[in-house]
Amino acid sequence: MLFSFSASAHQRACAWKQQERQSKIDSLPAIYSAPLSLSEEKIHTLSISQLVSQCRSGTIAPSAIMLAYAKKTLVAQKATNCVSDIMFQEALLIPPVANWGPGVDLDAGVNETTRERSLLGVPVSIKDTVNIKGHDSTIGYSSKVGHPSATSSAIVRLLQDAGALVHVKTTVPIGLLAIETVSDVFGCTTNPYNEGHTAGASTGGGGALVACGGSKIEIGTDLAGSVRIPAHFCGIWSLKGSSGRFPTWGTESSMMGLESVPIVTSPMAGNLADLREFWKRVIFSEPWQYDHTCVPLPWKNMDLHDEGRKLKWGVMWEDGTIPPSPACKRALSMVISALKKQGHEVVDFQPPDVFEGLKIGYQLLFSDGGQQLRSALSPGECLNKPSMSILELLNLPKFIKKIFSYFMRSSDPMSSQLYNIMHAKTVVEDRHNVAARDAYRAEWHKKWLEEGLDFVLTVPMSLPAIENGASEKTTLISAGYTFLFSLLDYAAGVIPVTFVDKNLDALPEGFPNSDRYKSFTAVAKGAYSAYDAEKMHGLPLGVQVVGRRLEEEKVLEGMQVIEDALRQQGSVFVNAVNL
């Protein structure tokens, strides 16, 4: 589908894309709109292991699973606008599923490939940017509407060979660099707990869908928190691995070719057991056979409980830009208290200067002066306001920024430094920043070993899910807690802990007049203007669990240790989405 380059063409492309999505929904048989039957409700409660086992034995047909999850998906779409493309029937046509029959995997004569259908019948949703043959990967840009992918990405091919039901693609914000999932192409994706708040970004559609029960697993991507922030906002589980551990080849981005800060494909799940099981089964499928960029590193079984030793956890309370809000700090404190009661050692961790690391990261991320983000825009199309603010800063003449930087040195040192460094880089300047990144990574490595840490704990973001449209106040800098560990290429997971409580989490009376508030940077003050415990009451709160590079199995086990510790003191997170 071709659209001319004009403002009206942009509008036509967006209208066409939304109409295509709606027509696919409208053409579904009436049974898809019916409530779940009792048997479908039972199917929906099954774990990944149970789904695969019962599909293999012939107890449940993949088509029955697909129908149950398709119904949930349509309810989720109506409530949150989280789906970008529908593939319910297509999901059942892949050979491992189409050749399914009761007890087929028990047949002694069946070939080895059929036996290895390790994800048979598992519904998996795919972020818009992950290529699926015959479907658009728009990145939220209207210029990319009507240009279906010629081939499927490595992870999609692996999933389909394993028998997974790849049933929908999910929404993203324009250009991906955002805190909210909003675009002219797909509209606004909202939080399943409160439609007035965002689901996060850039895997916001996937976060909302999983929280609503429309998918077992979402395949997202993460550059600066794009699966971890939606997991925090939507009350689900995620794990961003290190580059090379999870298949990423065949994924689109608004910053193709960026290597200095790795963009990694990452899964999200509705519970920790499913997240771990999915990671394990993907690695058992030898993703390096599908993706030449994957490290051939087999799965390592690990049980930190059986090792018998107590673990050492370092708490990074702040990222040097925006202190955690009372709600997010309380969630982190709950985890610390639970771990201490189980005899673990929990210490305050003073890492290498975090803002210095973030400054390196920002310069690497925008070394092209924002040209890639801007180049895909159609006439009449705009990026989200936080991204536009960055582009406006980058576009200012350097001498103007130098002047601003000079006069802000005393009143707002952080902003002064950003004005001084945010400009397009030469090749030599970019290589200097890559060298600075490597030196910074070395500092972290040394500090981690000196402290003898097993894990680092932080908030995923300083705020719970913000109101729709409020990201202009929080800015992209609010993603510092997650962006840091992308820069370091560390394995980092998010686990939901509790919910915002308007009574426990309100700011102290007169807080704007307090010395604490007056010490905040302008960026932090702006972010805190979006914090309202009463409006955020009932929204999920997560904690970020960080391990070193390629320690995915250990991080998953660390997340399990936290869940067990919280359970021991009577605190179990239960999905409270009510649609």
Side-chain angles (χ1 to χ4, degrees):
M1 184 68 65
L2 298 176
F3 301 95
S4 61
F5 293 100
S6 68
S8 59
H10 163 65
Q11 294 166 356
R12 287 199 303 273
C14 296
W16 183 86
K17 190 62 180 174
Q18 293 183 29
Q19 185 178 1
E20 178 197 44
R21 175 179 59 181
Q22 191 58 48
S23 65
K24 288 184 178 183
I25 294 173
D26 293 341
S27 66
L28 292 168
I31 192 171
Y32 283 85
S33 301
L36 267 68
S37 66
L38 183 60
S39 62
E40 289 166 347
E41 291 282 6
K42 290 180 179 178
I43 287 173
H44 196 261
T45 64
L46 297 177
S47 68
I48 284 179
S49 297
Q50 291 169 327
L51 284 173
V52 174
S53 175
Q54 294 193 32
C55 268
R56 283 176 164 176
S57 68
T59 305
I60 300 176
S63 58
I65 299 171
M66 187 69 272
L67 181 57
Y69 276 86
K71 288 181 176 182
K72 283 283 191 178
T73 294
L74 294 179
V75 172
Q77 167 61 11
K78 185 176 181 180
T80 66
N81 186 40
C82 57
V83 171
S84 63
D85 203 350
I86 303 285
M87 298 170 285
F88 298 155
Q89 298 301 321
E90 189 177 328
L92 298 172
L93 298 179
I94 59 171
V97 175
N99 296 334
W100 176 89
V104 67
D105 280 5
L106 303 178
D107 186 346
V110 77
N111 64 42
E112 191 63 24
T113 301
T114 305
R115 285 190 182 280
E116 292 174 357
R117 297 185 295 183
S118 60
L119 292 167
L120 182 62
V122 177
V124 180
S125 54
I126 306 292
K127 187 176 182 175
D128 163 89
T129 57
V130 180
N131 287 339
I132 300 178
K133 184 178 180 179
H135 296 268
D136 288 348
S137 295
T138 69
I139 321 176
Y141 289 110
S142 66
S143 62
K144 298 184 180 296
V145 168
H147 298 283
S149 302
T151 58
S152 290
S153 62
I155 182 60
V156 169
R157 288 185 284 111
L158 183 154
L159 291 171
Q160 291 178 333
D161 284 351
L165 302 175
V166 177
H167 64 305
V168 289
K169 296 193 84 175
T170 57
T171 54
V172 297
I174 182 171
L176 303 185
L177 293 183
I179 304 298
E180 304 176 62
T181 294
V182 181
S183 71
D184 290 346
V185 174
F186 300 122
C188 175
T189 298
T190 58
N191 192 292
Y193 283 87
N194 185 332
E195 66 180 2
H197 290 248
T198 183
S202 62
T203 318
L209 181 65
V210 171
C212 292
S215 187
K216 261 299 178 195
I217 296 289
E218 162 76 7
I219 300 297
T221 61
D222 195 307
L223 168 64
S226 293
V227 299
R228 286 166 288 159
I229 291 173
H232 166 53
F233 282 6
C234 295
I236 61 174
W237 288 252
S238 72
L239 174 64
K240 177 205 79 70
S242 299
S243 57
R245 195 71 203 278
F246 204 87
T248 297
W249 184 253
T251 298
E252 302 298 323
S253 168
S254 57
M255 295 181 166
M256 295 297 287
L258 178 71
E259 288 194 331
S260 50
V261 184
I263 303 170
V264 293
T265 305
S266 307
M268 309 162 84
N271 60 70
L272 181 55
D274 280 343
L275 181 66
R276 182 186 182 278
E277 193 65 28
F278 183 77
W279 256 97
K280 181 179 178 179
R281 291 180 185 235
V282 167
I283 301 302
F284 276 178
S285 296
E286 299 184 342
W288 47 90
Q289 303 289 358
Y290 293 82
D291 182 348
H292 64 281
T293 69
C294 272
V295 179
L297 183 63
W299 181 262
K300 180 182 179 182
N301 285 316
M302 181 175 291
D303 190 331
L304 296 177
H305 287 299
D306 283 353
E307 289 183 9
R309 68 182 180 90
K310 296 304 179 181
L311 303 168
K312 187 172 183 180
W313 310 73
V315 181
M316 191 185 92
W317 286 104
E318 298 190 13
D319 70 348
T321 60
I322 306 173
S325 62
C328 295
K329 188 173 183 179
R330 179 172 62 85
L332 182 55
S333 297
M334 285 176 62
V335 169
I336 293 168
S337 175
L339 289 171
K340 285 182 175 180
K341 286 182 180 178
Q342 295 302 309
H344 296 288
E345 184 179 2
V346 186
V347 298
D348 289 347
F349 177 54
Q350 299 298 325
D353 192 308
V354 175
F355 186 56
E356 286 300 314
L358 293 176
K359 286 194 298 180
I360 296 168
Y362 298 146
Q363 292 178 85
L364 292 169
L365 199 59
F366 297 105
S367 61
D368 69 338
Q371 182 178 344
Q372 280 183 298
L373 274 175
R374 194 184 301 109
S375 63
L377 290 169
S378 298
E381 188 173 37
C382 294
L383 293 167
N384 59 78
K385 289 182 179 179
S387 289
M388 285 300 299
S389 296
I390 294 289
L391 292 188
E392 289 167 2
L393 174 59
L394 290 166
N395 287 339
L396 276 176
K398 286 178 70 173
F399 79 93
I400 296 292
K401 285 186 279 195
K402 291 286 186 183
I403 294 171
F404 283 160
S405 176
Y406 178 80
F407 284 105
M408 298 172 77
R409 286 182 305 170
S410 299
S411 61
D412 191 355
M414 192 182 83
S415 296
S416 171
Q417 293 177 63
L418 292 175
Y419 271 103
N420 199 38
I421 64 172
M422 293 300 285
H423 54 81
K425 300 296 189 286
T426 65
V427 172
V428 172
E429 287 173 331
D430 191 49
R431 288 177 180 174
H432 172 79
N433 283 326
V434 170
R437 176 207 66 184
D438 290 345
Y440 186 70
R441 287 177 173 180
E443 286 184 55
W444 261 83
H445 179 73
K446 180 182 178 183
K447 184 74 171 177
W448 192 294
L449 292 179
E450 287 175 348
E451 296 283 340
L453 299 179
D454 288 291
F455 302 99
V456 165
L457 297 173
T458 77
V459 297
M461 189 171 157
S462 56
L463 305 173
I466 58 174
E467 283 189 279
N468 298 323
S471 60
E472 185 177 10
K473 299 175 182 177
T474 63
T475 75
L476 293 179
I477 292 174
S478 62
Y481 292 94
T482 48
F483 182 44
L484 173 67
F485 298 108
S486 291
L487 179 72
L488 294 169
D489 198 24
Y490 281 3
V494 165
I495 176 174
V497 174
T498 187
F499 299 94
V500 179
D501 186 303
K502 62 185 178 182
N503 297 315
L504 296 176
D505 301 324
L507 289 169
E509 189 173 347
F511 182 71
N513 298 318
S514 67
D515 291 339
R516 170 71 168 157
Y517 180 79
K518 290 174 182 177
S519 70
F520 282 3
T521 63
V523 170
K525 289 176 180 176
Y528 265 63
S529 71
Y531 180 72
D532 187 325
E534 186 155 349
K535 288 183 178 179
M536 293 173 166
H537 181 78
L539 290 172
L541 296 165
V543 164
Q544 184 173 212
V545 186
V546 183
R548 291 183 297 172
R549 189 166 187 272
L550 299 173
E551 288 190 341
E552 290 78 16
E553 296 95 333
K554 185 174 180 179
V555 171
L556 286 165
E557 288 303 308
M559 293 162 75
Q560 185 65 62
V561 169
I562 290 172
E563 279 206 354
D564 293 344
L566 288 168
R567 186 178 293 109
Q568 286 293 319
Q569 63 177 37
S571 180
V572 177
F573 184 90
V574 178
N575 184 309
V577 173
N578 184 20
L579 301 179

